[in-house]
Amino acid sequence: MSTTRVAVIYGGRSSEHAVSCMSAANVLANLDPDRYTAVPIAITKRGQWTTGTTTLEDLRPGADGSLPEVEAGERVTTLPPVDVVLPLLHGVNGEDGTVQGMLELANVPYVGCGVFASAAAMDKEYSKKLLAAEGFAVVPYAVLGPTVDTLTPGDQDRLGLPVFVKPARGGSSIGITRVEDWDNLPEAIIYARTIDPKVIVETAATGREIEVGVLEYPDGILATSLPAEIRAPSDGGWYDFDSKYFRHDELRQVPAHLDLDTVRLVREFAAGAFVALGCRGLARVDFFVSEHGDPVVNEINAMPGLSAASMYPQMWAATGLEFPKLLDILIHRELGQPY
Ligand SMILES: Nc1ncnc2c1ncn2[C@@H]1O[C@H](COP(=O)(O)OP(=O)(O)O)[C@@H](O)[C@H]1O
Ligand SMILES: [Mg+2]
């Protein structure tokens, strides 16, 4: 029986390069070899497209904690013949509609959100605008365009302390600072600008941090995973890069311990947010849930992390859907076939 050829594109120029490598490791380990032939394609941090690896150790963190990175190698200048592409890129130049646009132009089927939804989900300003337009609650925020260096006194009053200062188009908590004193705002803005000239400043939400996976079946039915919870580190920190990738076991509850009404509500809102942005295939919707059980959408990830340590595959496993099967569903959604 011939297999489906799946290009797995990973790495890339964004600050989430290493996360993408870890996602690729998990996908390559879980694509059923009886059904699929994986064609790995790696993009270096400088943007060179190269032949990827199937040696999973090269895609995982080293024993010393060093993060994986694509090495420059044999250049790929044309897409090899494949049936479908899995663009496992996180962040700009990948999760933001750019690679999706290239694949649309090349007329190659690919897994996940299209150009618009990818771009909208990547940008924390525009995703909030679209969600608010559909009636979803979002935290109060202010956007600082590239030439604006600080918040107006009016915005400081409106937002209140503490605030989160973030690159508008970032991910994996990179470039984010929690600011408790306005004196520290300029430094936080400069730090966020190392990732994106556009910065967003948000009121710190209170309540629990809850995530839900959304998956679209080939027949268009939207399924939502059981929610999971992120518990802030007890040392007063928040869900920063190190917590996400190196302390995940102690900081996560999969599935979350929530009452049934809240579970129903966040699952319903997750599917609603997916539709509001015009997503396709998959997304992870992240919320803050107040003590009264009101969910506020924090962000939508158009290509959520898919590493073994990532929430999305873990939430689906907790819902009864193992990763190889999940990959079948995603791929067959794009091939227009039942899985
Ligand atoms: N407005 C906010 N209120 C409270 N916590 C926040 C807020 N924004 C971000 N955080 C914390 O920072 C983490 C990373 O922020 P997030 O917006 O999810 O950025 P990223 O796209 O990098 O994942 C969140 O998981 C949460 O713990
Ligand atoms: Mg996040």
Side-chain angles (χ1 to χ4, degrees):
M1 201 179 87
S2 72
T3 56
T4 300
R5 289 174 61 83
V6 182
V8 176
I9 305 182
Y10 66 90
R13 284 194 281 151
S14 89
S15 52
E16 293 178 273
H17 178 98
V19 182
S20 171
C21 294
M22 296 185 249
S23 291
N26 196 33
V27 167
L28 291 170
N30 283 283
L31 277 176
D32 178 353
D34 291 337
R35 305 181 70 174
Y36 304 108
T37 300
V39 181
I41 297 172
I43 306 175
T44 66
K45 282 188 175 172
R46 298 173 66 112
Q48 189 195 107
W49 289 53
T50 69
T51 308
T53 179
T54 47
T55 308
L56 301 185
E57 287 68 42
D58 294 344
L59 298 170
R60 291 176 174 148
D64 56 354
S66 60
L67 293 170
E69 182 177 337
V70 172
E71 307 258 332
E74 192 188 331
R75 269 179 191 267
V76 170
T77 51
T78 47
L79 189 66
V82 292
D83 299 297
V84 64
V85 172
L86 262 168
L88 295 183
L89 299 160
H90 308 304
V92 289
N93 302 310
E95 192 181 352
D96 58 353
T98 50
V99 169
Q100 291 73 12
M102 180 197 73
L103 294 168
E104 295 280 352
L105 285 173
N107 202 20
V108 180
Y110 59 94
V111 166
C113 294
V115 174
F116 178 78
S118 299
M122 186 74 234
D123 189 310
K124 290 178 167 53
E125 174 189 6
Y126 289 106
S127 52
K128 281 186 177 47
K129 285 182 171 158
L130 288 170
L131 290 165
E134 290 298 316
F136 291 96
V138 296
V139 290
Y141 66 95
V143 175
L144 303 179
T147 57
V148 183
D149 283 335
T150 193
L151 285 176
T152 62
D155 275 338
Q156 289 191 2
D157 282 350
R158 181 173 61 86
L159 298 179
L161 285 167
V163 288
F164 276 79
V165 180
K166 316 178 184 182
R169 292 154 294 195
S172 291
S173 301
I174 298 164
I176 299 183
T177 312
R178 181 184 154 102
V179 169
E180 316 243 356
D181 182 327
W182 291 124
D183 287 348
N184 300 330
L185 182 65
E187 196 186 336
I189 294 170
I190 290 167
Y191 181 50
R193 287 220 162 106
T194 59
I195 305 294
D196 189 347
K198 181 165 78 168
V199 171
I200 187 164
V201 184
E202 300 177 6
T203 300
T206 52
R208 297 165 70 177
E209 197 170 342
I210 302 291
E211 307 193 338
V212 178
V214 184
L215 175 66
E216 190 179 13
Y217 277 72
D219 60 7
I221 300 278
L222 283 189
T224 53
S225 74
L226 289 174
E229 176 161 17
I230 290 147
R231 291 169 302 185
S234 50
D235 48 18
W238 49 282
Y239 197 42
D240 59 10
F241 185 87
D242 282 350
S243 322
K244 265 183 195 173
Y245 297 101
F246 300 110
R247 297 176 64 186
H248 41 86
D249 289 341
E250 67 183 285
L251 298 174
R252 291 177 184 174
Q253 186 98 55
V254 189
H257 295 170
L258 291 168
D259 64 82
L260 283 180
D261 284 342
T262 307
V263 170
R264 203 173 306 121
L265 202 59
V266 288
R267 292 178 87 168
E268 189 188 309
F269 278 30
F274 186 98
V275 173
L277 264 66
C279 294
R280 191 174 78 204
L282 78 166
R284 198 190 72 227
V285 185
D286 300 347
F287 299 92
F288 302 111
V289 178
S290 77
E291 58 181 315
H292 308 296
D294 301 317
V296 171
V297 181
N298 174 32
E299 62 157 350
I300 303 187
N301 297 279
M303 182 50 74
L306 298 179
S307 75
S310 296
M311 280 293 220
Y312 189 84
Q314 289 190 5
M315 289 191 291
W316 279 110
T319 313
L321 185 63
E322 294 301 332
F323 200 46
K325 188 87 178 163
L326 192 153
L327 292 172
D328 282 344
I329 294 167
L330 286 172
I331 290 168
H332 287 273
R333 157 80 181 74
E334 302 315 326
L335 296 176
Q337 298 165 357
Y339 62 94

